[in-house]
Amino acid sequence: MIRNARFFDHLATLASGTLFGFGLAWSTMIRPESVLAFLTFQDLGLLLVLGSAVGLNLLIFQALPKIRQRALLGGVFQQRPFSLDKQSLAGGVLFGLGWGICGICPGPALAGLGAGNGDLLIALASIFAGAGMHGLWVDRQNRKAANVI
Amino acid sequence: MIAQYFPNGLERYLIGGLLIGAGVALLFLCTGRQGGVSTFFSAAWSWLLRTPFFQQAAFRDTRQWRLIYTLGLMLGGTLYFLLGLPLESSHLPTWKLVVGGLLIGFGARLGGGCTSGHGICGMASLSGGSLLMVCTFLGTAIVTAMSLAALGVAP
C-alpha cells in the first residue's frame, strides 16, 4: 500500500512536470529568442503565457484548500516559504540581469534541452554552478556572523 | 494594435500558458506541492556537498520529487519534439549562456525563486512579496535586454 502511494506520488509529479514542459515548448518560451523578443517589446506573448498560467492557478490555489482539506494523494496543501528582504531583492536583480542577457530561466532551459537544444546544457550547468556558489556563500556569511559573536 | 504587439498571434501563448498552468495545478491538486523549478538546483547539491546549507531538510527531503519534476520538464520538451510540432531553431553565443546562467542560478536562489516559483505559484498564492520579486526581476530583465539591444549586442 505504502509502495503504491509512493508510486502514484512519483507518477503525478512526473506528469505535472511533463505537462509544464510541454506547455513551455508549445508557448515557444523554450526559445531564448522568444523571451528576448518580449523583453525588448517586440512580441508581448510572454505576458499572455504568464497571465493564463497565473489565472488558472489563482483559481486552484485559492479555491482548492477551501473545498478540500488535503491533496488527492493525502498531502497537505503547502505554503511558499518566502520572506521578502533586501537580500532577496538583490537576488531578483541578479536573476533579472541574467534573464535579460540570455532570455533563459530554469524551467524553459530544462524543457528546451528536452526538445533538443543542446546549447542549453551550457546554461543549465551554469545555473547549477550559480546555485552551488550561492549555497557556499551563505555558509561563509553564517560562519563570519558566528565568529563576530 | 494587436498585430503590432503580438506579431505571432495570441492563441499559441494563451494555450501554452494554460498547459503550463495545468502542470502546476496538477502537482498542487495531487500532492499539495508548490511547483517552483529553481529550488531543484540547490536541492541537487545536497547529494554532492556535505556543507550545512545544502544539507538542510528543505533540500534533502524534497530532492527526490524535485528530480522527478525536473525530469518531467525535460520529458515534456522531448514529447513536443517527438510529436513533430512546430519548433524554430535557436542559437545564442556561449558567453551569454555562461554569464547569464551563473547570474540566474545565484540570483534565483538568493531571491528565493524564479519565474515559476514567484511568477506562477507566488502570484497565484496572492503573495505580495512574490509580486514585488516579479516586478524586480522583470524590470531588471527588460532594462538589461533593452540596453544590450541598444548597444548592438543582439541575440
Side-chain angles (χ1 to χ4, degrees):
Chain A
M1 193 60 207
I2 288 174
R3 181 168 286 178
N4 252 344
R6 274 188 64 177
F7 171 76
F8 284 117
D9 181 290
H10 291 174
L11 190 68
T13 306
L14 187 72
S16 307
T18 306
L19 203 53
F20 191 161
F22 189 82
L24 283 168
W26 190 283
S27 68
T28 72
M29 292 303 135
I30 58 168
R31 280 187 80 232
E33 288 88 343
S34 299
V35 176
L36 291 172
F38 164 75
L39 294 173
T40 50
F41 298 164
Q42 293 167 54
D43 183 338
L44 302 188
L46 187 143
L47 221 51
L48 301 177
V49 176
L50 191 62
S52 50
V54 172
L56 177 64
N57 281 289
L58 199 57
L59 214 69
I60 302 283
F61 279 52
Q62 298 305 315
L64 208 56
K66 293 194 178 88
I67 303 168
R68 293 182 57 93
Q69 272 197 318
R70 282 180 172 266
L72 287 183
L73 296 174
V76 291
F77 290 118
Q78 294 171 13
Q79 305 276 327
R80 270 181 71 67
F82 175 67
S83 57
L84 187 78
D85 55 24
K86 270 188 201 156
Q87 277 206 355
S88 47
L89 283 173
V93 170
L94 292 177
F95 176 67
L97 274 171
W99 199 28
I101 289 173
C102 63
I104 289 169
C105 44
L110 290 164
L113 177 67
N117 181 358
D119 279 5
L120 292 174
L121 203 55
I122 303 171
L124 283 165
S126 305
I127 293 173
F128 188 51
M133 278 152 47
H134 166 257
L136 296 174
W137 176 78
V138 171
D139 280 337
R140 230 183 85 186
Q141 297 296 106
N142 289 341
R143 272 201 304 276
K144 265 193 207 159
N147 285 340
V148 171
I149 297 163
Chain B
M1 166 83 179
I2 285 183
Q4 188 188 344
Y5 288 107
F6 298 96
N8 297 304
L10 313 179
E11 201 183 310
R12 178 152 276 276
Y13 300 123
L14 289 171
I15 293 174
L18 285 175
L19 288 167
I20 293 168
V24 174
L26 184 69
L27 186 71
F28 190 68
L29 172 70
C30 291
T31 69
R33 292 171 187 138
Q34 302 237 357
V37 176
S38 77
T39 310
F40 167 73
F41 292 92
S42 292
W45 277 107
S46 73
W47 275 301
L48 304 171
L49 290 181
R50 297 271 167 269
T51 54
F53 180 81
F54 290 121
Q55 291 303 315
Q56 289 178 68
F59 297 143
R60 290 178 55 102
D61 299 348
T62 65
R63 62 190 180 186
Q64 193 182 31
W65 79 258
R66 288 185 191 283
L67 175 66
I68 295 168
Y69 190 55
T70 298
L71 292 174
L73 275 152
M74 289 198 273
L75 191 64
T78 307
L79 198 65
Y80 182 91
F81 172 76
L82 291 178
L83 289 174
L85 291 161
L87 193 65
E88 278 182 72
S89 69
S90 160
H91 188 68
L92 286 191
T94 306
W95 76 267
K96 283 193 175 185
L97 299 171
V98 173
V99 176
L102 287 171
L103 285 165
I104 290 159
F106 194 98
R109 297 317 308 139
L110 183 63
C114 60
T115 13
S116 53
H118 284 310
I120 301 176
C121 298
M123 294 219 286
S125 307
L126 296 174
S127 152
S130 283
L131 181 63
L132 203 62
M133 286 299 296
V134 172
C135 294
T136 306
F137 60 63
L138 203 55
T140 311
I142 289 171
V143 171
T144 307
M146 291 275 195
S147 309
L148 287 178
L151 290 170
V153 194

